[in-house]
Every structure is written in C-alpha cells, then in structure tokens.
Amino acid sequence: ARYGLEVTETSRDVSFCGHVVAQSRALVVEDTLADERFADNPLVVGGPRVRFYAGFPLRTPEGHVLGTLCVLDRARRVVTDEQRRMLDILAGQVVDALELRRKLIALAASERARADDQRTLARSNQLLDAMMTAQQAYLLGESVQDVFSMLLEHVLRITESEFGFMGEVLRGDDGLPYLKNHAISNIAWSAATRKFFDDNVRSGLEFHNLETLFGAVLKSGAPVLTNDPSRDSRRGGLPPGHPPLRGFLGLPVRRGEHLLGMIGVANRPRGYDWELVEFLRPLLASCASLISARRAEAARAEAQARLAASLEALRRSHDELAQLLDLLSVGTVILDAERRVAYISEMCRACAGLDDSARGQSWQRVLPLDARAVAALGLCMELPEPERTRVGGRITSINGVVHVVEIDVRDDPRDRRRRVLFLYDVSELHELLHELSGGRHAGMIGESEVMQELYRSIDQVAAGDWTVLIRGETGSGKELVARAVHAASHRHRGPFVAVNCAGLTDTLLSSQLFGHVKGAFTGATRDQAGLFESASGGTIFLDEIGDISLAMQRSLLRVLQEREVTRVGETRARAVDVRVIAATHRDLEAMTADGEFREDLLYRIRIARVDVPPLRDRLVDIPALIAAFLADERVHGGKAVRGISRAALERLQRHAWPGNVRELKGAIQHAVVRCQRDAIDVGDLPPELVFGASRASPRASSGPEPPMTAARRDDPSGAASEPNERARLLEALRRAGGNRSKAARLLGIGRATLYRRIKHLGLDVTSLT
C-alpha cells in the first residue's frame, strides 16, 4: 500500500525497508542527508529525494517479518515517542489484517473444496448406482438392450452429455473391427433418419466407418478426447444435418488385452477432461463384465443346442436298438389286479436285490424306487394305455448302487386289470449324457430336486464376473460349489485360489491376501505376492468371510471397489483382475444389524447368491454319495469294500447329519477301516450312528419303504447284525484282559455304551476277567 510519493519499487541494495526486514526492528532516519549510511543513497540524492524515513516491521506472532509499515517525506522530521508507539500499533494492526485476509482466503478455499467433495461424492454414488442397477437387471433376466439403455441414461446424466451410445466391438469377415450398438441416444435429424432410427435401433445399429472419432477408439483401443471436433483430424465426415458436435469422449471397454466394446458421449457443456476418464474406469470394468457375461451366455446356448442335437441323435439310436436288446436288458414285473407283485424277472431281481419274498406284496413296498418315481408310476397305472408315458426313476440296489431306469406300463393281454412293468436300465446312457454335457458340475453328486436347483443357480452366476456369496452349513460343500462356478465361467483356464479366513490374525490374513514386502513385519524375510495377485485372471474363494475383523472388512471392501491391492509395508497399489467368491455359514444380515459386519461390504459380496442345501434336505442323494466315497476308498485305501447293507443304509438315512456331507464321508471312511467283508454292515458304522438316537425325518423324503427281511420284522433296530457285534465285543474284551475301559477304547465307544451293549446282548464276561 502506498500514499504520497510515487515510489513503486526499489532495489534491495538501496532500500530503507531492507534494513528493517534484515534487522527485524524499527528504523527511523530523521534526516537522511545527515546520516552517513544514506547520504549518497540514490533515493536521497535523486528520484523521490527522501529526506525523512520511519519504518516498522510487520512481525507475525511467530517472529517472522512479512514486510514494513513506513512513512517518508522530502523534508526533515522529528518523530515523538507517542508517534513511534502509534506507528508500532498500526504495524500490528496491518499484520492482523493480513492474517484475517489469509484466513478468509483459506476459508473460501475450504468451502470450495467441500463443495467439490460433495459433487464428487454425488457423482460416485450415481456411478455405483448405475453399475449395481445394470448388474441386478441382467441377473433378473432383462435383455441386453434394456440393460445397456438403462446404463446409457446413467452415463449421460453423470457426464452431463447431450447424447451418446454404447456397444460391443465385433470383427467382420475382413478382420476389421466394427461397433454393434446396444444402446444409443435418439439423434434423428429428419423424417427419413427418424424412420431409419426407429426401424434399426432395437436390432443394433452398426458403425463400420473407422475414419471417425469412434473409429479411432476401435483402431487404437485407447480413449479419444476432443473438445474441438471441427479441428480434430480424426473427426471424419458427419451425415448432412447431423446435430452439432461440440465435444466428444470415446472410451474403450476392455478385458485385459481384448477390446470388448465402447462408450461414446458428446457435447458436455464444460468440455471433457482426463479426470473424468479416470472417474469412469469402474463403470468400464462393469460394462466389460456385462459383455463377457452376454458372450458366455451366447456360447453356452450354442453349446447346448449342439448338445441337444447330439442327444436327440443318441436317443434315436437308443430307440432303434431297444427293440433288439429287449430280451437282454429289459426287466419285467407283473402285477395282479390289486397291484401286488405276481412275477419278477431275473434282471429285476439282480438290479433291485429282490427274492421270492417279494411276491404277493405291494409293488410300492417291493420296488426300491425314489419317491417321485413311485408317485408318477402309480398315476400312470390308472391311465388308459394310449395316454401313458414312460416314467423315469432310480432304483437303489441292496449294496447301495443306484440304477437309473425308465419304466413302461402295459396292460396284461391275458387280463386287462393286471399290469406289466418293463424296466429299462439306462444307467450307462445316463453316464454318457453326463459326459456329453461336459461334466459341468464335476465332483458334485446328487440328483435330488434341491441339487437340481443348486445346479441351475451355479449355471446362472457362472455367466458373468459378479461377486458371489455362497451360503450353507458347515460341511455342506461350499468350496465344491465355488469350484463348480469357476469351472463353468469364462475364467476356467485361470487359477482357483481358496482362502480359509477363519482363525487367522489380521496381519497373517492381510499378508496372505495382499502380500508383503521384506521387513514389513517379523518373519517377512522376502517380498511375497498375495493370493489376490496369484489368482489374477481367475477366481479367489474367501471361505468363512463372516469370521474376518471389521478392519479386514474395510481393506477387503477397498480391494473390491478399486480392483487394486497394496502389499503390507508398501504404498504402491497393484491392479488385479480377479473374480471374488465368498462363503459363510453365518447369518451376515444379522451380523450387519449387530454391527459385526459392514453393510457396504455385504452389498458388495452378495450381488449373486447361491444357497447350498444341507444333507438332511437331500437324503435321497445318500446312496450315490456312499458309492462315490467307497470308490475313493478303493483307490486310496486299498480295501475292496464295494457296497453297504440295507440295514446300514437305513441307519444312515435316519441320521440328522449336523456335519452334512463331510460327516457322512468321515462315517464311511470309519466303516471301511472296520469292515472285514465286501459290504459295510451296521456294526461297522461309528458308535454314534449305531447306538445314538435317530434324529432325521421319516424315510418319506428318500423313497418308498424298502422290503423288510425276517430279521428286520422281528427286530427293526438291527437284530440281524447282533452276531457280528457279539463277536466284536468279546474279541475286544479278550484283548483287553477283561478290562472294560480298555475294551471300550479299543472299540472306539464310551464305557457306559459298552456296559449297555453287554447287558443288551446278555454276554457272560466273567471268564475273561
């Protein structure tokens, strides 16, 4: 600030104020001509001819000198003490005014930053809403055009653009890329173009001209941004009457090195910038997932069509051969007018494990068919013969082997009240059909209704890259479901990495998931990539995600949002291309309500959901599971145990299975170790299954009541196995020298249980003590 003399700027070498700043104290020169320091100063002898100078430092509370408050005159002056004090006070007021201005400027900047943050947050919420809405619409079965149209509306609103388009990049017969639009703004500019637009938009307009702005994106695979299209050499020509193009942003939709699609928007009022490009990257990743899912779905539909044709040809061949093989492969059951068994062929005896005791009994009691086949067969028998259809079902033989059969019902030509059942064993055909289907659910066993629903859920979520939450009880096979989703997805050639999140500290889990650098913590002797990086290009399976801490939940949420990981001890983020599948046996919604699980993470991981049924809801699958476990034991254990008795199977099907399939497998392994024959009996099962109370629901869920042997009619609890049990107990007591506690340990049962069985069997053990 200045007033009076016209002095706007002086050299530091001759400046009076320079002395004030350098010495940090006031300087008063009442007569410059009489002061040898300034007598020859250019400001004194020339220019403004300063004769008097008084300067006071502008000093902050911290002691910093910002400048000076000074007064000058062309005449000599004397400064009183009062004037000195007033000038010093005035200098302090100047500093206060400067500080106030600084704070006002900082406050204004803070307000602008807060407004910018609010706008950024609003845009981020819009972006997240756009991605989640599109993914949910696709999962609910909306068409690809409707999904992309919905997404385009969000993009136009977020980018403040006037019009735009979204499409998929394909290649023509000449190998050149072109764009097939799935969504486009209505930019018709005449009656003719409007008709063309209306006639073609739903089928997907195609853009082939590569000498354009969007063509530059297709050729380079990189974003194209211009706020002056008329001067851009890549612009090319526009059709006559096309709306004015004041700005254009073209964004490639990529998956790794592959260009899958493109988004184009135009005419943003304040122009486009690279900050907007970075902001839209998560949206581009979401579009890539949608396009990949669409392509996977189309490829699967084509494969299913080819499979259907193959199956039809196979069925025709089967029908042609069936007439020739009837005498060899067709079982026959004749029922009297009351639907009791009158005759059973040898093929049916061998398949179902029946004997002459089945004659005279109800067919529902004799034939070990699954419940659904029993109901369908009973209805079919009462229909007129022209209206009957072949019934499919499963027969479980006495040794636990499951046969897939098809049953024809015919009237007995000797008596129309009687029925003749022809049973075709199509087990090999069923296996062949499974092979032709590509083993889509390899490793998963079960044909029950709940398992069929599970297979349909797996196929649905495998179509895209959505995050999947698998829910199910402990031991129900959640990891097997995750592997099936991975195997059926387009990532099946990539790695599948499983992580058990339960029981690990945050440090260990962070190191496992995100990796670490040397020295990040005790024991980190070298750089180590995390499992997210190891799973790049494939799938990472986070088992028991409900057991991780809130701190780890926050870290995991950041990875899901940014698709980047930062190793422990490092600041550089690393991009990862990985699909996340999580699993839990916990109620995450209840945990969220209790504050134990982050709500935003829950919304992220349960975009697609799969529920795994417990074993108690699919008891009908137990025979097939047992057959598979026995096959594994023959390979890995070396024991030729090939089947299971009817009594042992019934005991297993009455159990509640709190440990699900894992518990069943352990029980079969225990029985194989104990078994001394080629088939497991009740006495070979674990004690808790032999002597424990049955807790499962009645057998109605697993098929009709099996035939009862004489031993079962006399003692349904398993009297047929008592001789074997008597021998085992006596042998254990003999080896233990009569010591009952030791004998109980040898048998793997409790002492009280041993006493109870000795009493039940009436054993005399006095001679063994």
Side-chain angles (χ1 to χ4, degrees):
R2 61 181 177 79
Y3 181 81
L5 298 179
E6 294 293 332
V7 179
T8 58
E9 183 176 304
T10 59
S11 170
R12 181 180 302 167
D13 297 336
V14 300
S15 170
F16 289 91
C17 294
H19 290 271
V20 178
V21 174
Q23 297 176 11
S24 186
R25 65 172 183 267
L27 173 64
V28 176
V29 184
E30 296 181 345
D31 186 355
T32 58
L33 293 177
D35 191 319
E36 61 182 10
R37 294 175 298 174
F38 305 105
D40 58 352
N41 189 294
L43 298 178
V44 175
V45 299
R49 295 189 178 278
V50 176
R51 185 74 181 273
F52 165 77
Y53 175 85
F56 293 81
L58 301 179
R59 186 183 296 107
T60 67
E62 294 81 12
H64 303 298
V65 178
L66 305 179
T68 62
L69 171 68
C70 64
V71 291
L72 306 93
D73 203 345
R74 293 191 178 94
R76 178 180 177 278
R77 285 185 176 275
V78 176
V79 179
T80 67
D81 290 341
E82 179 64 19
Q83 289 174 332
R84 283 176 177 268
R85 189 177 67 81
M86 291 177 60
L87 288 172
D88 191 45
I89 293 173
L90 184 58
Q93 292 178 339
V94 171
V95 172
D96 292 342
L98 291 174
E99 178 65 16
L100 177 60
R101 185 179 68 171
R102 185 186 67 80
K103 290 183 177 180
L104 291 175
I105 292 173
L107 179 61
S110 175
E111 289 295 324
R112 288 195 299 271
R114 188 170 67 84
D116 291 342
D117 289 344
Q118 289 177 340
R119 286 193 294 269
T120 300
L121 179 61
R123 284 204 310 166
S124 298
N125 289 336
Q126 285 181 320
L127 189 67
L128 180 61
D129 182 59
M131 293 188 294
M132 295 189 66
T133 300
Q135 290 176 348
Q136 290 172 355
Y138 188 84
L139 284 173
L140 292 174
E142 298 285 347
S143 68
V144 65
Q145 288 84 5
D146 289 341
V147 172
F148 275 91
S149 294
M150 184 186 313
L151 198 54
L152 179 59
E153 291 180 6
H154 283 281
V155 171
L156 293 176
R157 185 163 56 252
I158 292 170
T159 62
E160 307 170 47
S161 298
E162 184 179 351
F163 53 82
F165 57 85
M166 304 178 72
E168 185 176 357
V169 175
L170 304 174
R171 291 193 176 270
D173 296 336
D174 54 4
L176 295 177
Y178 68 92
L179 187 70
K180 182 180 179 65
N181 281 284
H182 294 315
I184 185 170
S185 301
N186 189 340
I187 55 173
W189 53 87
S190 66
T193 55
R194 180 172 298 281
K195 184 178 186 306
F196 175 82
F197 185 89
D198 293 339
D199 292 343
N200 294 276
V201 67
R202 292 300 298 179
S203 60
L205 292 174
E206 295 182 359
F207 295 166
H208 290 264
N209 186 2
L210 298 180
E211 302 306 318
T212 56
L213 290 173
F214 80 84
V217 178
L218 302 189
K219 290 189 294 184
S220 67
V224 168
L225 186 155
T226 176
N227 290 315
D228 192 1
S230 62
R231 297 179 180 273
D232 196 302
S233 60
R234 301 168 294 182
R235 176 173 180 254
L238 292 174
H242 190 282
L245 195 63
R246 298 184 298 275
F248 176 81
L249 176 61
L251 298 172
V253 176
R254 306 177 62 90
R255 172 60 55 83
E257 297 298 320
H258 302 289
L259 181 62
L260 303 182
M262 176 189 164
I263 299 176
V265 290
N267 292 2
R268 189 189 195 200
R270 51 196 175 97
Y272 298 100
D273 52 57
W274 293 107
E275 181 182 353
L276 179 63
V277 174
E278 290 299 318
F279 176 76
L280 293 174
R281 286 196 185 279
L283 178 69
L284 299 179
S286 183
C287 290
S289 294
L290 290 174
I291 294 176
S292 296
R294 176 188 175 280
R295 290 184 176 180
E297 187 175 351
R300 185 169 60 255
E302 183 180 352
Q304 288 175 341
R306 291 197 302 268
L307 177 61
S310 300
L311 293 178
E312 182 60 30
L314 187 61
R315 289 191 184 96
R316 286 197 300 268
S317 299
H318 172 73
D319 292 341
E320 293 171 357
L321 291 174
Q323 296 178 2
L324 301 176
L325 300 177
D326 274 351
L327 294 177
L328 298 177
S329 63
V330 178
T332 305
V333 179
I334 300 177
L335 307 179
D336 62 19
E338 285 72 36
R339 305 296 185 259
R340 294 189 297 263
V341 175
Y343 170 79
I344 301 177
S345 69
E346 288 298 323
M347 184 269 190
C348 285
R349 292 169 184 259
C351 179
L354 303 177
D355 55 24
D356 289 337
S357 64
R359 291 188 177 184
Q361 297 191 51
S362 167
W363 69 272
Q364 294 99 327
R365 185 176 182 82
V366 169
L367 291 179
L369 284 165
D370 59 280
R372 188 170 52 177
V374 169
L377 194 58
L379 177 63
C380 187
M381 288 183 190
E382 305 308 317
L383 295 174
E385 193 169 62
E387 299 179 17
R388 297 172 193 159
T389 58
R390 182 172 290 189
V391 175
R394 286 169 170 75
I395 288 181
T396 304
S397 67
I398 194 170
N399 62 358
V401 176
V402 178
H403 296 270
V404 182
V405 296
E406 293 181 355
I407 307 172
D408 275 338
V409 181
R410 295 287 184 264
D411 292 341
D412 190 334
R414 299 167 298 178
D415 184 349
R416 295 294 179 182
R417 296 174 303 167
R418 294 159 59 96
R419 298 288 183 266
V420 180
L421 309 182
F422 297 100
L423 282 75
Y424 300 84
D425 189 346
V426 294
S427 299
E428 293 183 2
L429 176 61
H430 180 76
E431 291 297 326
L432 178 58
L433 296 180
H434 179 70
E435 292 177 8
L436 289 174
S437 70
R440 185 170 189 80
H441 306 296
M444 301 190 69
I445 299 170
E447 298 295 333
S448 58
E449 280 293 335
V450 291
M451 288 300 290
Q452 296 299 324
E453 178 62 30
L454 176 60
Y455 297 150
R456 287 191 287 270
S457 296
I458 291 173
D459 289 340
Q460 186 180 34
V461 303
D465 255 357
W466 311 287
T467 304
V468 182
L469 177 62
I470 300 175
R471 300 178 293 194
E473 296 178 3
T474 299
S476 57
K478 297 186 288 297
E479 181 172 344
L480 202 58
V481 172
R483 291 182 181 274
V485 172
H486 171 74
S489 72
H490 71 92
R491 292 178 175 267
H492 64 278
R493 290 188 176 88
F496 178 91
V497 177
V499 187
N500 191 335
C501 300
L504 294 178
T505 64
D506 283 5
T507 300
L508 288 177
L509 188 57
S510 295
S511 174
Q512 278 199 6
L513 293 179
F514 311 135
H516 61 261
V517 297
K518 181 178 179 181
F521 52 86
T522 303
T525 58
R526 59 186 178 87
D527 290 357
Q528 179 67 51
L531 296 180
F532 266 96
E533 292 181 63
S534 300
S536 187
T539 301
I540 188 168
F541 173 58
L542 304 178
D543 197 9
E544 299 304 342
I545 194 171
D547 291 346
I548 66 177
S549 68
L550 289 171
M552 277 303 303
Q553 292 174 30
R554 183 169 58 253
S555 299
L556 183 58
L557 177 64
R558 187 179 305 113
V559 174
L560 294 178
Q561 289 174 333
E562 306 298 337
R563 296 292 174 180
E564 294 177 342
V565 297
T566 303
R567 294 181 180 179
V568 177
E570 193 176 55
T571 58
R572 178 170 67 93
R574 301 167 185 263
V576 290
D577 174 23
V578 61
R579 181 182 196 173
V580 176
I581 299 178
T584 185
H585 70 281
R586 295 175 175 270
D587 185 346
L588 296 186
E589 287 77 7
M591 293 178 65
T592 299
D594 293 337
E596 298 175 356
F597 199 87
R598 291 179 64 99
E599 187 176 28
D600 46 3
L601 179 58
L602 175 63
Y603 294 156
R604 281 283 186 181
I605 64 174
R606 70 173 186 184
I607 292 176
R609 312 169 197 180
V610 177
D611 292 315
V612 184
L615 183 57
R616 62 180 174 274
D617 288 348
R618 56 186 191 102
L619 296 177
V620 68
D621 293 328
I622 286 182
L625 290 166
I626 293 174
F629 297 155
L630 290 178
D632 287 343
E633 291 302 310
R634 288 197 296 273
V635 173
H636 301 293
K639 295 192 68 172
V641 179
R642 299 185 177 278
I644 185 169
S645 70
R646 171 66 66 180
L649 179 61
E650 290 175 351
R651 187 63 59 94
L652 294 179
Q653 289 182 313
R654 289 201 300 268
H655 187 56
W657 301 113
N660 292 291
V661 179
R662 184 183 298 145
E663 183 186 2
L664 174 62
K665 185 174 184 179
I668 296 302
Q669 290 173 332
H670 175 97
V672 169
V673 173
R674 297 283 300 276
C675 184
Q676 301 299 318
R677 299 162 303 282
D678 63 350
I680 295 171
D681 204 351
V682 173
D684 301 319
L685 298 175
E688 64 271 15
L689 297 182
V690 176
F691 306 121
S694 298
R695 293 163 290 176
S697 58
R699 276 186 49 85
S701 64
S702 58
E705 179 69 14
M708 293 180 65
T709 63
R712 288 182 64 247
R713 284 193 294 269
D714 295 338
D715 181 8
S717 66
S721 65
E722 286 187 356
N724 291 333
E725 185 180 358
R726 182 188 300 271
R728 288 193 300 103
L729 293 182
L730 289 174
E731 174 64 18
L733 287 165
R734 184 189 63 77
R735 292 175 57 191
N739 187 315
R740 300 186 187 186
S741 297
K742 184 176 180 180
R745 289 196 297 272
L746 291 174
L747 291 168
I749 62 178
R751 187 172 60 179
T753 300
L754 176 62
Y755 288 165
R756 187 167 60 251
R757 297 310 299 164
I758 290 174
K759 181 178 179 181
H760 173 75
L761 296 171
L763 296 179
D764 181 9
V765 297
T766 57
S767 61
L768 300 176
T769 58

